[in-house]
Amino acid sequence: MSALPTSLTLGSLRVETPVVLAPMAGITNAAYRRLCAEQGAGLYVSEMITSRGLVEGDETTQKMLVFDELETVRSVQLYGTDPVYIGKAVEILCADHGVAHVDLNFGCPVPKVTRKGGGGALPWKRGLLGEILEHAVSAAAPYDVPVTMKTRKGLDDDHLTYLDAGRIAQESGVAAIALHGRTVQQAYSGQADWDAIAALVAHVDLPVLGNGDIWEAADALRMVEQTGAAGVVVGRGCLGRPWLFRDLAAAFNGEAVATLPALGEVRTMMRRHAELLSEHMGEERGCKEFRKHVAWYLKGFPAGGELRHQLALVDSLATLDDLLDGLDPDATFPERELGTPRGRQGAPRKKVALPDGWLDDTDGRGSHLREDANETTGG
């Protein structure tokens, strides 16, 4: 067994713990990134923004490019289908926003994205993928900013793309590739295929980050040991559990830690989360944004239906404080929830939504489709 990685090197960027927060739409805003960063070292990636939205000055895109004042390493996930737009967007991020890391999304499974040839559908077009990566890498090079990419195994089991994507990433000068061990067709259902991550590690010389089914710190260690990945990308596992990053930092440092906070500690974390959201967005909007997190924080804990309902309607910090007082601070962590999936799962798709004739050609250079300027879905 090889030694565990203790840090992650992406070009000129060194990340103190080989752990990356996966971009999640509507979740990984500046407040949540700050909350997770307070728990442990790692790389915390923003919500996905579109290259076209950025280049054309779309208002929604601009509002999403908000960073916390303590966010020393600015990391942004970019989506796009047009090499020229991607290159321009990378330059804007580096020159105008002080971004230190750009991740390109080729993993999103959402039909409205794949139907336009974006996200997880794009790597089928090997030539187009190469063009996009080359434009991104050359735009970032003068600023010494590493570019990484995130992808999936392929469209479905009959149309796998990840080994080709890894080779193209390496040839294009990409600093690392993250692989979610599911196909687009699987979306978030079923089990992640860690063997595919191991196959990609064996296939390329650049760092491979493993993504999929990391619910506890022990899962991250197991993934790295099984696959040889250089680090892990954590998405749904940290929903309602920012302290998972504390456990992950400790685990990669050789300490066996599993934080099992009593409801009192969870209550404090909930309050901190709402407070950070309010600082960044204003109290009313911040509290509304916080509502979606309530069920994740309270998963498995004893909290009455009426109290949960009221928390899901919270509109001010004062109301939140009153409601949090109704939670029993001594209630112990529900250990049966350990290792279980969190967030969306759903069923596999019957078939992947693709542009007409998409499968007929595996090159695709010059055939990119125009993405929506305000596309904001994660992958």
Side-chain angles (χ1 to χ4, degrees):
M1 190 182 97
S2 56
L4 279 174
T6 54
S7 63
L8 175 63
T9 302
L10 304 173
S12 58
L13 179 63
R14 187 172 184 273
V15 183
E16 290 306 316
T17 302
V19 175
V20 180
L21 168 66
M24 291 180 280
I27 307 285
T28 57
N29 49 39
Y32 192 69
R33 299 195 303 270
R34 165 77 178 264
L35 187 71
C36 292
E38 287 176 350
Q39 296 301 308
L43 186 63
Y44 300 93
V45 188
S46 74
E47 298 172 87
M48 184 180 95
I49 61 165
T50 70
S51 52
R52 199 170 136 232
L54 186 59
V55 172
E56 295 181 357
D58 173 65
E59 195 181 341
T60 309
T61 306
Q62 298 292 342
K63 281 182 181 159
M64 289 170 73
L65 265 182
V66 172
F67 299 95
D68 188 89
E69 70 270 13
L70 292 185
E71 204 160 359
T72 48
V73 177
R74 296 180 169 191
S75 171
V76 172
Q77 192 184 56
L78 193 60
Y79 162 83
T81 51
D82 182 320
V84 174
Y85 265 112
I86 288 260
K88 285 179 180 167
V90 169
E91 186 172 2
I92 292 168
L93 288 173
C94 297
D96 301 346
H97 296 278
V99 166
H101 164 242
V102 177
D103 183 53
L104 298 177
N105 180 311
F106 300 111
C108 181
V110 175
K112 67 176 181 178
V113 170
T114 60
R115 191 176 287 118
K116 294 188 173 173
L122 197 137
W124 180 255
K125 304 289 192 190
R126 277 72 164 176
L128 177 58
L129 177 66
E131 277 190 323
I132 290 175
L133 295 177
E134 282 159 19
H135 274 75
V137 169
S138 64
Y143 304 92
D144 201 19
V145 169
V147 174
T148 60
M149 69 173 279
K150 171 129 184 255
T151 192
R152 286 177 173 249
K153 285 169 61 182
L155 302 173
D156 53 35
D157 288 336
D158 297 323
H159 301 88
L160 298 177
T161 54
Y162 70 104
L163 294 177
D164 280 350
R167 172 184 54 77
I168 294 163
Q170 186 167 305
E171 289 167 357
S172 307
V174 167
I177 178 169
L179 178 63
H180 184 156
R182 287 179 169 88
T183 61
V184 174
Q185 184 175 28
Q186 274 182 279
Y188 297 93
S189 69
Q191 265 193 306
D193 176 5
W194 291 5
D195 288 343
I197 296 167
L200 184 57
V201 169
H203 187 67
V204 296
D205 294 328
L206 75 173
V208 173
L209 306 175
N211 177 220
D213 296 354
I214 293 175
W215 311 114
E216 311 298 336
D219 297 330
L221 298 190
R222 205 161 43 82
M223 177 190 272
V224 168
E225 284 163 0
Q226 273 184 31
T227 66
V232 296
V233 178
V234 179
R236 295 171 297 157
C238 67
L239 295 174
R241 299 168 66 207
W243 56 85
L244 181 57
F245 289 97
R246 192 192 320 166
D247 290 2
L248 286 160
F252 280 106
N253 203 28
E255 303 159 36
V257 178
T259 303
L260 302 174
L263 191 47
E265 284 180 77
V266 174
R267 203 167 71 171
T268 305
M269 189 71 77
M270 291 171 79
R271 179 61 168 78
R272 177 72 178 138
H273 192 168
E275 182 185 300
L276 285 167
L277 282 166
S278 298
E279 278 175 23
H280 277 285
M281 301 177 173
E283 188 170 341
E284 188 181 354
R285 181 159 166 238
C287 286
K288 281 183 176 166
E289 274 292 316
F290 176 71
R291 294 171 181 176
K292 70 179 76 157
H293 297 271
V294 169
W296 292 321
Y297 276 114
L298 296 181
K299 193 171 186 267
F301 278 108
E306 181 54 30
L307 181 54
R308 287 173 187 262
H309 178 68
Q310 292 300 319
L311 279 164
L313 298 172
V314 71
D315 58 3
S316 73
L317 292 174
T319 308
L320 178 63
D321 287 337
D322 288 344
L323 293 169
L324 291 178
D325 280 344
L327 294 171
D328 174 9
D330 299 322
T332 56
F333 188 85
E335 292 194 34
R336 65 184 177 280
E337 295 294 340
L338 292 173
T340 61
R342 307 176 76 79
R344 57 190 166 176
Q345 288 159 268
R349 310 194 190 289
K350 288 190 175 64
K351 64 177 208 173
V352 179
L354 295 168
D356 289 342
W358 190 249
L359 296 177
D360 299 345
D361 160 44
T362 59
D363 182 66
R365 270 177 278 222
S367 69
H368 48 263
L369 302 162
R370 195 171 155 90
E371 77 253 17
D372 292 327
N374 59 355
E375 187 56 69
T376 54
T377 320

